Amino acid sequence: MLHRAADGKRATTRAESMGSEAGRHPLPPDHAAPRRERDALGGGPSIAESPDAVGAHLSEVLGRPIRVVVRPPARRAHHGPVLEAYDPDGRAGIVKIGETEPAREAVRHESVVLRMLADRPLKVVMPPAVLHHGVWRDAEVLLLSTPPVRSRPFVRSRPSADLLEAAVAEIAALDADGGHAWHGDFTPWNVTVSADGRLLVRNWARFGTGVPYGFDALHYFFHRCLRRMRPSQAAAACLARADRLLGMSTADARRTAAHYLITIADRHLRDGHEPFGPPSEWLNPAVDHLECLL
């Protein structure tokens, strides 16, 4: 397992590298997924397509009127749709629904992770709070809080490079076994500056432990690159910038970046879709020459 430099020294451009690569292009199609098959018995719509029914269920559970609205993108590859819940006072939270087994597992995992985080003295990262988690019509239903953000409604406040770096370090320290943890989907669209200046980090379904330090920093940079580059170019950029992103020696940083890119390719294989195309087209050209380091 790779670690940070023993003296804790970071390259002077490390924080700058994480936040400097802006782009204007559409997001990669990581959220694309087939629609759920109709109920075998009734042939009716899935729960996600019945927001009124979801609202009635949550109203009964929470003891107050809840209205649920579906917001695009409605479906993502590794877990189910996301909906917005409103009560008489305004926005009540975000609803995640798992109807397929992979989606149910993702929702359960996120619930466990968020309850664990609620017991940790986090100073930089602000995760959502679990307001309700239960099973309804064989689906996992998770209601999460929506903490206030610094910016005006619907205007994203871009976090500073220093804040991103501090959040990556705090998340990495969550591995109780002495290794490093990672959020697993630390991307520009999953982070927002909160009203108190901390970093609101959403979508913890990919959280994992036992990885080299810096996976989240690499993931953030890689997905910013994907907004303006082809996947093969983004992978090459990730390797080229790894030493400045991670503050490690060039060899250690490239080894970590190659490990990260292979991990993402393995994730896509497990998910059963290839949003970047076959690994032979975007991954192999970037990492094959590093085989001696892996």
Side-chain angles (χ1 to χ4, degrees), residues 102-278:
R104 284 190 288 268
E105 176 58 31
V107 171
R108 286 192 294 265
H109 178 67
E110 183 165 16
S111 176
V112 169
V113 170
L114 291 175
R115 293 183 190 280
M116 177 272 290
L117 295 176
D119 294 331
R120 297 295 183 94
L122 299 176
K123 297 180 179 179
V124 179
V125 173
M126 177 185 288
V130 176
L131 303 179
H132 168 72
H133 177 219
V135 178
W136 177 58
R137 295 186 181 178
D138 295 326
E140 299 280 336
V141 179
L142 179 64
L143 176 63
L144 303 176
S145 67
T146 53
V149 298
R150 174 181 291 173
S151 60
R152 300 188 306 275
F154 310 114
V155 178
R156 185 179 301 278
S157 177
R158 180 180 298 175
S160 69
D162 288 341
L163 182 59
L164 291 170
E165 183 179 332
V168 167
E170 188 167 68
I171 294 170
L174 291 171
D175 190 341
D177 295 327
H180 299 115
W182 72 313
H183 173 271
D185 200 11
F186 195 81
T187 56
W189 50 92
N190 278 336
V191 301
T192 310
V193 180
S194 67
D196 64 1
R198 290 184 289 170
L199 192 68
L200 171 60
V201 184
R202 296 174 289 270
N203 296 332
W204 290 80
R206 297 289 198 181
F207 177 82
T209 58
V211 301
Y213 182 87
F215 266 28
D216 276 332
L218 293 165
H219 194 74
Y220 191 93
F221 177 80
F222 182 50
H223 282 79
R224 293 198 73 168
C225 289
L226 285 169
R227 289 182 165 184
R228 60 187 182 85
M229 300 178 183
R230 295 177 179 177
S232 59
Q233 295 172 320
C238 195
L239 287 163
R241 286 292 192 95
D243 55 347
R244 285 186 281 181
L245 285 167
L246 305 180
M248 301 174 180
S249 69
T250 298
D252 284 350
R254 288 185 177 179
R255 186 184 298 117
T256 301
H259 188 175
Y260 158 74
L261 292 169
I262 292 169
T263 298
I264 294 301
D266 287 343
R267 171 187 292 181
H268 293 165
L269 178 63
R270 292 193 305 271
D271 286 346
H273 77 137
E274 296 179 332
F276 306 149

